[in-house]
Amino acid sequence: MIWTVYLSGEIHTDWREQIQAGAQAAGLPVEFTAPVTNHDASDAAGDVLGDESDSFWRDHKSAKVNGIRTQTLIEMCDLAVIRFGDKYKQWNAAFDAGYCAALGTPYITLHDKDIIHPLKEVDAAAMAWAQTPEQVVEVLKYVTTAQ
Amino acid sequence: MIWTVYLSGEIHTDWREQIQAGAQAAGLPVEFTAPVTNHDASDAAGDVLGDESDSFWRDHKSAKVNGIRTQTLIEMCDLAVIRFGDKYKQWNAAFDAGYCAALGTPYITLHDKDIIHPLKEVDAAAMAWAQTPEQVVEVLKYVTTAQ
Amino acid sequence: MIWTVYLSGEIHTDWREQIQAGAQAAGLPVEFTAPVTNHDASDAAGDVLGDESDSFWRDHKSAKVNGIRTQTLIEMCDLAVIRFGDKYKQWNAAFDAGYCAALGTPYITLHDKDIIHPLKEVDAAAMAWAQTPEQVVEVLKYVTTAQ
Amino acid sequence: MIWTVYLSGEIHTDWREQIQAGAQAAGLPVEFTAPVTNHDASDAAGDVLGDESDSFWRDHKSAKVNGIRTQTLIEMCDLAVIRFGDKYKQWNAAFDAGYCAALGTPYITLHDKDIIHPLKEVDAAAMAWAQTPEQVVEVLKYVTTAQ
Amino acid sequence: MIWTVYLSGEIHTDWREQIQAGAQAAGLPVEFTAPVTNHDASDAAGDVLGDESDSFWRDHKSAKVNGIRTQTLIEMCDLAVIRFGDKYKQWNAAFDAGYCAALGTPYITLHDKDIIHPLKEVDAAAMAWAQTPEQVVEVLKYVTTAQ
Amino acid sequence: MIWTVYLSGEIHTDWREQIQAGAQAAGLPVEFTAPVTNHDASDAAGDVLGDESDSFWRDHKSAKVNGIRTQTLIEMCDLAVIRFGDKYKQWNAAFDAGYCAALGTPYITLHDKDIIHPLKEVDAAAMAWAQTPEQVVEVLKYVTTAQ
Amino acid sequence: MIWTVYLSGEIHTDWREQIQAGAQAAGLPVEFTAPVTNHDASDAAGDVLGDESDSFWRDHKSAKVNGIRTQTLIEMCDLAVIRFGDKYKQWNAAFDAGYCAALGTPYITLHDKDIIHPLKEVDAAAMAWAQTPEQVVEVLKYVTTAQ
Amino acid sequence: MIWTVYLSGEIHTDWREQIQAGAQAAGLPVEFTAPVTNHDASDAAGDVLGDESDSFWRDHKSAKVNGIRTQTLIEMCDLAVIRFGDKYKQWNAAFDAGYCAALGTPYITLHDKDIIHPLKEVDAAAMAWAQTPEQVVEVLKYVTTAQ
C-alpha cells in the first residue's frame, strides 16, 4: 500500500521539501500531495476567468479555483500534515484541519511550542503533534512500514 | 420549523448578544447555540479531571472537553455564523468553518474588510460574508421567514 | 407522522397554493416548505450585504443567500414536488431535482405533456409524474394516509 | 494522480473535443468521461429492451438506461464541467449540476454571459464559471499540475 | 423514547393487528408504520396519474407511488419486522429486508419453520427470527422497556 | 474504465455464462463478479467451522460465510444484474436488489413477462428490465462503450 | 436542547445510578439510556424465541436481541460514557467504544488508574477520561450548560 | 480482485503467520495488513515526539500514533480477522470489532471455546467464528475463490 499524505499550511519555508527528502531517503511508501505553494500563482488562480475590479471577488474566484485542487486532494489523502509557521494568519491551514476532522481523516500538526495555546482545538483533534519535519518523517516511517 | 444557528468564533466582543437581540426583536424562528464563551472557564474545562503539570496536556484535556460541546452543536446546527475579530489567532474559528464545509453545513462569515485576503479560503466556502451583526440578522430574517 | 413536502420550481402561477389548499381540505398530515417565491425579493436577497456593480456577483450573492434556505429545506424534506411551467429556463428546478436524486430523496414532477422529452432525465429519477396539482394532492393523500 | 473529469451538457457543439484537445496538447494528467453524445442513439437507448407505443415510456426507458452510465460516471469523477449552450432546455445539465452539488463534487460551468441570470443558482454552487473551452483547459492545467 | 417499528411483508393475514394489539396491551413505547396493505388500492396507486394500457407500466407507476411511502417509512424506522407467509412470491418483503440490511437498520423476520432454507440469507442479516406475533411482542417489550 | 458487474440470482440456468460470453465476444470493458453458484458448496459454506445439529444454525452459518462474499462484491460493483427464474423462492435475489437500491447502486432485472406483477417493487427501483441475456449484453455494450 | 447520554459497560456496581442522581441534582438537560443491566435477563434475552441446546447459539441469539437495543441507543446518543470495572473481560464495553469511534460519536471513559495501559487505544479515541462518577457529572454539567 | 484482510488482535502467538502461510500455500488473492505487532515498539510509538513524564500521556501519544495506522488499515480492508487469545485484556481487539461493525465491514473472530460467553456481543456482530487459523484460511479460500 502506498500512503497518500497531504501537506497543508505554511508556504514560506521548506518544510515540505524536508519531509519529502526524508521520506525518499528512507524509502517510505508515501506519495505526497499539496496545494499550490506559489503565493502569487495562488492569488492569481482565477484571473484566467476574467479580471475583477473588486478585490473581494478576485480573492473569491481564486480561492474557489484553488479549492478544486485542495478539497479533492484532502478528500483523497490517507493522512494530512498541517503546518503552522510563525507568521501570517494561516486560517486556511486551520480550515483544512477542521475539514479533515469532520471527514475522520487523521492529521498531524507541525508547529513550535510557542503556539500551543491558540492551536489547542486544532491539536485536540489531531493524531499527533510534531515540532520538526524529522519527527514527521519518523512518524510516517513507523506508521507506513511498522518500523 | 425552528432553525438552529451556531455562533462560532470571537469571544471578546458582544456580537453574539447583538445577533440574538436582533433576532428576538424580529421574532425570528431561530434557536442559537454557542461554545463556552467564558475564556477562563474554557481553558479550565478539563481541570476537574485532574491537574496537569505540562501545559500542552492541560490545553489538550480542556480542548477535548470543549470539543464534546462544540462538535455536537456544530453537527446539529442548520447554519453557522463564524466571527473573526481583529485580535488573536482565532484558529478555532477557521477550524469550525472547515468542519462545517466538510459536513456540507452552510455558514456565514462575519468580519471586517481588512482581513478579506487571509480569510479568502474560509469565505470561498461560505454562503455569505457579513460585516455587521445587523446584516446577519437581516439574512437570518430572510432565510427563515422569506421576508 | 407529519410529512414535510418541499415545493420547488415555477413561481409565476399558483400551483403551490392549489396543492396546499387541497391538502388542507383533505386534512393531510403534511407540512409544506418552499423557496422564497417573490421574484424581486429573491433577486435582491444578497443586497443587504452590500451593493455590487457587477451583475454576475449580485446574482451570485443573492443565489447563495437563497441557497441557505433552499439547500436546508431540501435536505430536511421527506418528499419534493418539482414544477416546470411553460416559460423561462427553470434550471434551478432541474438543479433541485438532481440534488434530490443524489440525496435519495423521492420527488414528484409536475408538468405538462409537451415538455416530456426535454424532461426525460428529470422524470426518470422521479417517483411520479403529475400533470395537475389535483393529482399531486391525490398522491400525497394516498402516500401519507394510505387512503 | 490522474484526474477524472466528467463533461456534462450540450451535445450540439464541439466543446468537449476542444477541451480534450487542449488538455492533450498540454499533457495534462486528466481522463475525460461523458454521457452518450449521439442524440439519436441516446433517445433510442432503451429500444433494445422492447418497443413502446407511448412516447413517455420510451423516453423513460431510454433515460434510465442512459442514467446507468451518467450516474456512475458522475459519482466516479473528481470534477465535472457542465456546459450550457444557447439552445434547448438542457434540464439534464442542470440536473447533473444539482447531483454534483449534493455529492460535494466540484464542478465548473461553461456558458456565455447572456444566461448568467437564469443560471445563478447553478453558478452559485459551482467552483468556477468559464466562458470558453480554453479557460477550462487553463483551470484544469492549474488545478492538476499546479502550473 | 418512542420506537418506530415498520411492519413489512405479507398482507393477507392479521399479523400486524396481532402485534399492534399485543404492544398496546403491554403499553409499549412503540409506534407502528406499514405499507398500504389494501391489495387492490396498492395495485391502483398510480392510476390517478393516468391510465396505462400496458400492465408493466401500470405496475411500474403504482410501485413507484407506493415506493414514496415505503422507502420513506423504512428509512425512518428504528426497527423493522418482516413477515413471510406461506403464499405468493413476496419478493417485496425480501427487497425490504435487503434495504434495511444496507442501511444498517435492524430487523426481525417472522415466518414458519418450513421456509427456513430459502430465507437463510434474509435471516442471516436479521437480528432475530420469530415464529409468532407473540414472540415479536415479547422481543419488542424487552428491547424497548428492558423488561 | 473497467466496469464491475455483479450477477445476482438464479443459479440453475446458464444465464451468467451467456452474458459473460456475449460481453467477451463484444470486447466490453466489463469484469463480472458473482456469488458462489454451486448450490451444494453454498449450503455447506459454514461446515468447515464445525458441524451443526440444528438445520437453522447450519443454514445461518453458511449464509453468513456466503454473506462475506456477496456483501463485499455488491458494495464494490458499479452495476448489478439480478436474475429471477421460474422456480424456487429466490428471496436472496430480491434481498440483493433491495441492498443495491439502498446503496444507490444501479441494477438491471432479468426475468420473464409472467412474473412482472410480483416483481413490480423490484422492477420499480431498477434502471432497466431485460427479458434475455442478449438484451443485457446490449445494454452493457451501450452503457460501457457508448455504442 | 436535551442531551442523550448512553451509559455503556460494567453492570455490577451502581455507577449509572450515581451519575443519574448527580445529573438530576444539578438539573442537567440530560436523558440517559443504557443497555439492559440485569445480567440474567440479558443472557436470556433470546430464550423467548425458542430454546437452544448449544450454548454458543443461545448466547448468539440473546446477544443479537440485546444488539437491537444497544445498537439503536448508541446510534441515537449524543455522547456515551463507557465504564470499565475491575472484573470480567468487558469486551462489550470496548466494542461499544469502537462503535462510537467509527460513528464519530464522542465518548468519555470511566475507569481506575490501574487499567490505563490496556485501555490506551480506547482512551486515545475518547474525548475524556474520568475516574469517578462525580467527574462525569461535572463534565456533563459543563458540556450541557456551559457552567 | 485482491481482497485486503486486516489481522487484528493478539500479538503474542504466531496466528498471523499461520494464516498468511496458509493463504500463500493456497495461492489466495489476499493481501494482509496488520497493526504494529512488536509490543515494545508499539508502546514507544510516540516517544519520537518527545518524552512524557506521565505514563498516561505516554500511552496516549503512542496509542494515537498507532491509531493513524490501525484506523486507516481498518477503513481500507475488505474483511477483518479479530483474534482473542487467552491472556491480557485485549480491549483493543474488541474496539476494532466495534469499529468494523459500525462501518459495516465484515469480520471473523478467532478464539477458543472457553471465551464464548464474554465475547457474545463481539461474535453476534461477526460473520463467522473460527477456532483455528486453518479454519480462517478455509473461509478465506471459499470467500475469495468460490472454491
Side-chain angles (χ1 to χ4, degrees):
Chain A
M1 170 186 170
I2 303 296
W3 292 63
T4 301
V5 177
Y6 184 74
L7 302 173
S8 166
E10 194 201 22
I11 59 173
H12 299 95
T13 64
D14 68 346
W15 67 276
R16 282 186 185 82
E17 288 70 24
Q18 289 186 52
I19 290 176
Q20 288 170 311
Q24 192 171 12
L28 303 187
V30 174
E31 182 177 65
F32 294 98
T33 56
V36 171
T37 55
N38 178 320
H39 196 147
D40 291 340
S42 170
D43 282 359
D47 290 356
V48 68
L49 298 169
D51 291 335
E52 297 297 332
S53 53
D54 183 328
S55 69
F56 178 81
W57 294 118
R58 188 200 179 211
D59 276 351
H60 199 70
K61 267 169 65 171
S62 291
K64 287 208 156 185
V65 168
N66 282 308
I68 298 174
R69 178 176 176 91
T70 56
Q71 176 190 328
T72 301
L73 295 182
I74 289 176
E75 299 209 349
M76 283 191 170
C77 77
D78 301 307
L79 174 66
V81 179
I82 301 181
R83 163 72 182 162
F84 292 87
D86 55 4
K87 287 187 203 153
Y88 307 107
K89 292 296 192 182
Q90 307 179 77
W91 283 319
N92 58 326
F95 180 89
D96 287 355
Y99 203 98
C100 286
L103 294 179
T105 300
Y107 66 86
I108 299 169
T109 57
L110 172 61
H111 62 82
D112 287 344
K113 270 195 168 171
D114 58 342
I115 47 177
I116 284 177
H117 192 65
L119 279 172
K120 65 182 185 297
E121 289 85 3
V122 175
D123 282 341
M127 296 301 272
W129 162 48
Q131 292 174 263
T132 67
E134 289 74 24
Q135 287 177 321
V136 173
V137 173
E138 284 303 307
V139 171
L140 291 179
K141 183 181 173 190
Y142 177 82
V143 163
T144 64
T145 69
Q147 286 172 342
Chain B
M1 171 186 168
I2 304 297
W3 292 64
T4 301
V5 177
Y6 184 73
L7 302 173
S8 166
E10 193 200 23
I11 60 175
H12 300 95
T13 65
D14 68 346
W15 66 277
R16 282 186 184 80
E17 288 69 25
Q18 290 185 51
I19 291 175
Q20 288 170 312
Q24 192 171 12
L28 303 186
V30 174
E31 181 177 67
F32 293 99
T33 56
V36 171
T37 55
N38 177 320
H39 196 147
D40 291 340
S42 171
D43 282 358
D47 290 357
V48 67
L49 298 169
D51 292 334
E52 297 297 332
S53 52
D54 183 329
S55 70
F56 178 83
W57 295 116
R58 189 201 177 212
D59 276 350
H60 199 72
K61 269 169 63 172
S62 290
K64 288 207 155 187
V65 168
N66 282 308
I68 297 174
R69 179 177 175 90
T70 57
Q71 176 189 328
T72 300
L73 296 181
I74 289 175
E75 299 209 348
M76 284 191 170
C77 77
D78 300 307
L79 173 66
V81 179
I82 302 182
R83 162 72 182 162
F84 292 86
D86 55 3
K87 287 187 203 155
Y88 308 106
K89 292 296 191 182
Q90 307 179 78
W91 283 319
N92 57 326
F95 180 89
D96 287 355
Y99 203 98
C100 287
L103 293 179
T105 300
Y107 66 87
I108 299 169
T109 57
L110 173 60
H111 61 83
D112 288 344
K113 271 196 169 172
D114 58 342
I115 47 176
I116 284 177
H117 192 65
L119 277 172
K120 65 181 185 297
E121 289 86 2
V122 174
D123 282 341
M127 296 301 272
W129 161 48
Q131 291 173 263
T132 68
E134 289 73 24
Q135 289 176 319
V136 173
V137 173
E138 284 303 306
V139 171
L140 291 178
K141 183 181 173 192
Y142 177 82
V143 163
T144 64
T145 69
Q147 287 171 342
Chain C
M1 170 186 169
I2 304 297
W3 292 64
T4 301
V5 178
Y6 184 74
L7 303 173
S8 167
E10 194 201 22
I11 60 174
H12 300 96
T13 65
D14 68 346
W15 67 276
R16 282 186 185 80
E17 288 69 24
Q18 290 186 51
I19 290 175
Q20 288 170 312
Q24 193 171 12
L28 303 187
V30 174
E31 181 177 66
F32 294 98
T33 55
V36 171
T37 56
N38 178 320
H39 197 148
D40 290 341
S42 172
D43 282 359
D47 290 356
V48 67
L49 298 170
D51 292 334
E52 297 296 332
S53 52
D54 183 330
S55 70
F56 178 83
W57 293 117
R58 189 201 177 210
D59 276 351
H60 199 71
K61 267 169 62 171
S62 290
K64 287 207 156 186
V65 168
N66 282 308
I68 297 174
R69 179 176 174 90
T70 56
Q71 175 189 327
T72 300
L73 295 182
I74 289 176
E75 300 209 348
M76 283 191 170
C77 78
D78 300 308
L79 174 65
V81 179
I82 301 181
R83 164 72 182 161
F84 293 85
D86 55 5
K87 286 187 205 155
Y88 308 106
K89 293 294 191 181
Q90 307 178 78
W91 283 320
N92 58 326
F95 180 89
D96 287 356
Y99 203 97
C100 286
L103 293 179
T105 300
Y107 66 87
I108 299 169
T109 57
L110 173 61
H111 61 83
D112 288 344
K113 270 196 169 172
D114 58 342
I115 47 176
I116 283 177
H117 192 64
L119 277 172
K120 64 182 186 297
E121 289 86 3
V122 175
D123 282 341
M127 296 301 272
W129 161 48
Q131 292 173 262
T132 67
E134 290 72 24
Q135 287 177 319
V136 172
V137 173
E138 284 303 307
V139 171
L140 290 179
K141 183 181 173 191
Y142 176 83
V143 163
T144 65
T145 69
Q147 285 172 343
Chain D
M1 171 186 169
I2 303 296
W3 291 65
T4 301
V5 177
Y6 184 73
L7 302 173
S8 167
E10 194 201 21
I11 60 175
H12 300 96
T13 63
D14 68 345
W15 67 277
R16 282 187 185 81
E17 288 70 24
Q18 289 185 52
I19 290 175
Q20 288 171 311
Q24 193 171 9
L28 302 186
V30 174
E31 182 177 66
F32 293 98
T33 56
V36 171
T37 56
N38 177 319
H39 196 147
D40 291 340
S42 171
D43 282 359
D47 290 357
V48 68
L49 298 170
D51 292 334
E52 297 297 332
S53 52
D54 183 328
S55 70
F56 178 82
W57 294 117
R58 188 200 178 213
D59 276 351
H60 200 71
K61 266 169 66 172
S62 290
K64 286 208 157 185
V65 168
N66 282 309
I68 298 174
R69 178 175 175 91
T70 56
Q71 176 189 328
T72 301
L73 295 182
I74 289 176
E75 299 209 348
M76 282 190 171
C77 77
D78 301 308
L79 174 66
V81 179
I82 302 182
R83 164 73 182 160
F84 293 86
D86 55 5
K87 287 186 201 154
Y88 307 106
K89 293 295 192 182
Q90 308 179 78
W91 283 318
N92 58 325
F95 180 88
D96 288 355
Y99 204 98
C100 286
L103 294 179
T105 300
Y107 66 87
I108 298 169
T109 57
L110 173 61
H111 62 82
D112 288 343
K113 270 196 169 172
D114 57 343
I115 47 176
I116 283 177
H117 192 64
L119 278 172
K120 65 182 186 297
E121 289 85 4
V122 175
D123 281 341
M127 296 300 272
W129 161 48
Q131 291 173 263
T132 67
E134 290 73 25
Q135 287 177 321
V136 173
V137 173
E138 284 303 306
V139 171
L140 291 179
K141 182 180 173 191
Y142 176 82
V143 163
T144 65
T145 69
Q147 287 173 340
Chain E
M1 171 185 169
I2 303 297
W3 292 65
T4 302
V5 177
Y6 184 73
L7 302 174
S8 166
E10 196 202 21
I11 59 174
H12 300 96
T13 64
D14 68 344
W15 68 276
R16 281 186 186 80
E17 288 70 23
Q18 289 186 51
I19 290 174
Q20 288 170 312
Q24 192 171 12
L28 303 187
V30 174
E31 182 178 66
F32 294 99
T33 56
V36 171
T37 56
N38 177 320
H39 195 147
D40 291 340
S42 170
D43 282 358
D47 290 357
V48 67
L49 297 169
D51 292 334
E52 296 297 331
S53 53
D54 184 328
S55 70
F56 179 82
W57 294 117
R58 188 200 178 213
D59 276 351
H60 199 72
K61 266 169 65 172
S62 290
K64 288 208 157 186
V65 169
N66 282 308
I68 297 174
R69 179 177 175 90
T70 56
Q71 175 189 327
T72 301
L73 296 182
I74 290 176
E75 299 209 349
M76 282 191 171
C77 78
D78 300 308
L79 174 66
V81 179
I82 302 181
R83 163 72 182 161
F84 292 86
D86 55 5
K87 286 187 204 155
Y88 307 105
K89 293 294 191 182
Q90 306 179 80
W91 282 319
N92 58 325
F95 180 89
D96 287 355
Y99 203 97
C100 286
L103 293 180
T105 299
Y107 66 87
I108 299 170
T109 58
L110 173 61
H111 62 82
D112 288 344
K113 268 196 170 172
D114 57 343
I115 47 176
I116 284 177
H117 192 64
L119 278 172
K120 65 182 185 296
E121 289 86 3
V122 175
D123 281 342
M127 296 302 272
W129 161 47
Q131 292 173 264
T132 67
E134 290 74 23
Q135 287 177 321
V136 172
V137 173
E138 284 303 308
V139 171
L140 291 179
K141 183 180 174 191
Y142 177 81
V143 164
T144 64
T145 69
Q147 285 173 341
Chain F
M1 172 187 167
I2 303 297
W3 292 65
T4 300
V5 178
Y6 184 73
L7 303 173
S8 167
E10 194 200 21
I11 60 175
H12 299 97
T13 63
D14 68 345
W15 67 277
R16 281 186 186 81
E17 287 71 23
Q18 289 185 52
I19 290 174
Q20 288 170 311
Q24 194 172 10
L28 303 186
V30 174
E31 182 177 66
F32 294 99
T33 56
V36 171
T37 56
N38 177 319
H39 197 147
D40 291 340
S42 170
D43 282 359
D47 291 356
V48 67
L49 297 170
D51 293 334
E52 296 298 331
S53 52
D54 184 329
S55 69
F56 178 82
W57 294 118
R58 189 200 177 213
D59 276 351
H60 200 72
K61 267 168 65 171
S62 290
K64 287 208 154 184
V65 169
N66 282 308
I68 298 173
R69 179 177 174 90
T70 56
Q71 176 190 328
T72 301
L73 296 181
I74 289 175
E75 299 209 349
M76 282 191 172
C77 77
D78 300 307
L79 174 66
V81 179
I82 302 183
R83 163 72 183 161
F84 292 86
D86 56 4
K87 287 187 203 155
Y88 308 107
K89 294 294 192 181
Q90 307 180 80
W91 283 319
N92 57 324
F95 180 89
D96 287 356
Y99 204 97
C100 286
L103 293 180
T105 299
Y107 66 87
I108 299 168
T109 57
L110 173 61
H111 62 82
D112 288 345
K113 271 197 167 171
D114 58 341
I115 47 177
I116 283 176
H117 192 65
L119 278 172
K120 66 182 184 296
E121 289 87 3
V122 175
D123 281 341
M127 297 300 273
W129 161 48
Q131 291 174 263
T132 67
E134 290 72 23
Q135 288 176 320
V136 173
V137 173
E138 284 303 307
V139 171
L140 291 178
K141 183 180 172 191
Y142 176 83
V143 164
T144 64
T145 69
Q147 286 174 340
Chain G
M1 172 187 169
I2 304 296
W3 292 65
T4 301
V5 178
Y6 184 73
L7 302 173
S8 166
E10 195 201 22
I11 60 174
H12 300 96
T13 64
D14 69 345
W15 66 277
R16 280 185 186 80
E17 288 71 23
Q18 290 185 51
I19 290 175
Q20 288 170 312
Q24 192 170 13
L28 303 186
V30 175
E31 181 177 66
F32 294 98
T33 56
V36 171
T37 56
N38 177 319
H39 195 147
D40 291 341
S42 170
D43 282 358
D47 290 357
V48 68
L49 298 169
D51 292 334
E52 296 298 331
S53 52
D54 184 329
S55 69
F56 178 82
W57 295 117
R58 188 200 178 211
D59 276 351
H60 199 72
K61 268 169 63 172
S62 291
K64 287 207 156 185
V65 169
N66 282 308
I68 297 174
R69 179 177 175 89
T70 56
Q71 175 189 329
T72 301
L73 296 182
I74 289 176
E75 298 208 349
M76 284 192 168
C77 77
D78 300 308
L79 173 66
V81 179
I82 301 182
R83 163 71 182 161
F84 292 87
D86 55 4
K87 287 188 203 155
Y88 307 107
K89 292 295 191 181
Q90 307 180 79
W91 283 319
N92 57 327
F95 180 89
D96 287 355
Y99 203 97
C100 287
L103 293 179
T105 301
Y107 66 87
I108 299 170
T109 58
L110 173 61
H111 62 82
D112 288 344
K113 270 196 169 171
D114 58 342
I115 48 176
I116 284 177
H117 192 63
L119 278 172
K120 65 182 185 298
E121 288 86 4
V122 175
D123 282 341
M127 296 300 272
W129 161 48
Q131 291 173 264
T132 68
E134 290 73 23
Q135 288 178 320
V136 172
V137 173
E138 284 303 308
V139 171
L140 291 178
K141 183 181 173 191
Y142 177 83
V143 164
T144 64
T145 69
Q147 287 172 341
Chain H
M1 172 187 168
I2 303 297
W3 291 64
T4 300
V5 178
Y6 184 73
L7 302 173
S8 167
E10 193 201 24
I11 60 174
H12 300 96
T13 64
D14 69 344
W15 67 277
R16 280 186 186 81
E17 288 71 23
Q18 289 186 50
I19 290 174
Q20 288 169 312
Q24 192 171 13
L28 302 186
V30 175
E31 181 177 67
F32 294 98
T33 56
V36 171
T37 56
N38 177 318
H39 196 147
D40 290 342
S42 170
D43 282 359
D47 290 357
V48 68
L49 298 170
D51 293 333
E52 296 298 332
S53 52
D54 183 330
S55 69
F56 178 83
W57 294 117
R58 189 202 178 211
D59 276 350
H60 200 71
K61 268 169 65 173
S62 290
K64 287 207 155 187
V65 169
N66 282 308
I68 297 173
R69 178 176 175 91
T70 56
Q71 176 190 328
T72 301
L73 295 182
I74 289 175
E75 299 209 348
M76 284 192 170
C77 77
D78 301 306
L79 174 66
V81 179
I82 302 182
R83 162 73 183 160
F84 292 86
D86 55 4
K87 287 187 202 154
Y88 308 106
K89 293 295 191 182
Q90 307 179 79
W91 282 319
N92 57 325
F95 180 88
D96 287 355
Y99 203 98
C100 286
L103 293 179
T105 300
Y107 65 87
I108 299 169
T109 58
L110 172 61
H111 62 82
D112 288 344
K113 271 195 168 173
D114 58 342
I115 48 178
I116 284 176
H117 191 64
L119 278 173
K120 66 181 185 296
E121 289 86 4
V122 175
D123 282 341
M127 296 301 272
W129 161 47
Q131 292 174 262
T132 68
E134 289 74 24
Q135 288 177 320
V136 172
V137 173
E138 285 302 308
V139 171
L140 291 179
K141 183 181 173 189
Y142 177 82
V143 163
T144 64
T145 69
Q147 288 173 339

